[in-house]
Amino acid sequence: MTQGTCPSCGAAVEFSAGTAQVVVCGHCQTVVARQGASLEAHGKVGAIVETDSPLRLGAEGRLGRDAYRLVGHLQKDHGAGPWDEWYVEFDDGRTGWLSESEGAFHLLIASGSEPGLALEDFPPGHRFSLAGHRLVVEERGHGRVVAAEGQLPDDVDPSADSHYVDATGPKGVFVTLDFGTWSTDPEVYVGKKLKLTELGIAPDQLRPRVKKVALQQARCTQCNGPLELRAPDQTKRVACPYCGALLDVRKGKLAFLQLLEKPDPGPRIPLGARGKLDGTEWICIGFLVRSCTVEGVRYPWEEYLLFNRERGFTWLMESNGHWVFLTPLDAGDVSVAPGIAAHREGQRYRAFQSVEAVTETVLGEFYWEVRAGETSHATEYVAPPYSVSVDETENEVTYTLGEYLVPGVIQEAFGLKEPLPAPQGIAPSQPNPHSSGPAWMWAGIWSLALLAVFLVLNVLAANEVVLEESVRLDSDARSGTPSAIHFSKPFDIHKHGNVRAELSAPVNNSWLGVQAELVNEQSGDVIGFYEEVGYYSGSDSDGSWSEGNRMETEHLSSVPPGRYVLRTQALFDGTPQGQSYTMKLVSDTPRALWFFWALVVLWVLPLFAVFRASSFETSRWAESNLDSGSGE
């Protein structure tokens, strides 16, 4: 530990962190550097301003077995309000930085420099590998140190504009490339995103959140209308709902920027309305109208900014009556084949549209420097009911996960009295209401049941041959006359059921018909039927040919048991010339035909569902401006 006095004011200063090279005098804000055994003044730096940060200098935490302490504090600014970074020293001598961004914390450990890397090679969305991680650039920015306190590893130069690249990887990995004032050879810091509760800092060491009380009840600088800010600590821009003035929120003051056209119609969810979605109560604090133009046609949509103090910011998007709930994603959790598909947690999202989005109108408060006319390149990938959206600007890319919601969910969540418009057309992530999956499932189940019944009936069927008799026609027999009539010997049918009659005859280039009557000897009931066989063959310029059959089958339904004779009368052309035929009767024989038709009926419904689902998808993808192929 090094102790001494501030060269500027004489107040006591102390170096308790072994890695610290400078300490900021708590009395006069002089940056005091140690040079061997002596202390030198290296100019002054601004005093820390109160922010919403729950951390404080000197707080101690623990990550697993590793204990650490917050020994230094920087506030940086790139013109849109300061953010906090904390210098961390572990008990084992390692050092790092703990940064805050929109309610999230990133603990980063220095892992050395990377010679050869250039700032210009890391635009937003760029994918690369470093330190064993696959990473995606989310932001390329810069900032100056505007305030400091405590002990720091390097000198502080408030005039230096430092550049950095923030990238994310899978499972919360976060990497910062600190280029400093240079454009190459950055210092690399590797860490992960953590929640406040994961920092291992005891609650009594956290600072109560500070609220910008003065701004919670501000007034518009243009029309003096009251402005109630719901997230005053994080708001950077606010649009007056009375006159449309867009105001900059900086250092506790409002400054007029531009006069915007008020949205007409206004937001369907009133600003300040509270609603519960995804198990969290949100308050609606901002409203945007954005649009894109495709082939000369303007396509507008509305976006609502929601805020919850614990979860931060999220979005609701409404287009043509369709609603999508959007939550932020780390870019590193999504792999993208641009214009084709995105993949996240094993789910494939097919590219649907890619447009240049323009912000047209603004209402309410926002955590970034929103302005009318700002543009971004937006790409949407869909796997209904979910979607992944990618918004890219010159210096930043953001990923969001969308979930399609019907208007009734929004109506109930926010307790809206006015009914929301019914959806028009088909939304990119709208679930297909004609899914054929359940129909196929039930058709399969009933088909198996039907097959089981058919097999059982076949096993239990008698399949009894009750008659098989050949008849040779006399040479003088005449077609359809008594001379062509034959009576079978009596036979018994033992089981009530159907009878299969089979007629076969060795016809050749001729035909033979049989008019038959099945006569019950006890009751006298007669069951008549007619069957005919014919077979022809020959040859022509195309070669040999043949047609017809020498055997045909007829089924007689519901034949009662009893003693029968079969009366047959032959029909033929010309003279029989020694023709013969055979009649065979089989009792109680199941037919496969009814099984076939039952299957057809069962599969009509799923086939119809496939047709409707296919028509729905065709209509959906007709609105896509990306030809990503079916890929399904």
Side-chain angles (χ1 to χ4, degrees), residues 532-544:
E532 180 179 301
V533 296
Y535 183 82
Y536 300 88
S537 62
S539 61
D540 53 22
S541 59
D542 296 328
S544 60

Side-chain angles (χ1 to χ4, degrees), residues 470-488:
S470 295
V471 178
R472 178 169 292 279
L473 297 172
D474 296 336
S475 57
D476 56 352
R478 295 294 180 267
S479 174
T481 65
S483 62
I485 293 177
H486 172 78
F487 286 88
S488 73

Side-chain angles (χ1 to χ4, degrees), residues 103 209 307-312:
R209 289 186 181 271
F307 175 71
N308 173 273
R309 186 161 294 280
E310 301 300 325
R311 291 186 56 176

Side-chain angles (χ1 to χ4, degrees), residues 213-220 224-229 238 247 252 254:
V213 177
L215 265 182
Q216 281 187 295
Q217 294 294 337
R219 288 188 174 275
C220 174
N224 202 35
L227 301 175
E228 183 181 357
L229 304 187
V238 57
L247 307 171
L254 299 177

Side-chain angles (χ1 to χ4, degrees), residues 491-508:
F491 58 91
D492 295 321
I493 293 178
H494 302 97
K495 187 176 181 181
H496 192 116
N498 66 349
V499 171
R500 185 176 73 238
E502 299 176 0
L503 169 65
S504 60
V507 293
N508 188 23

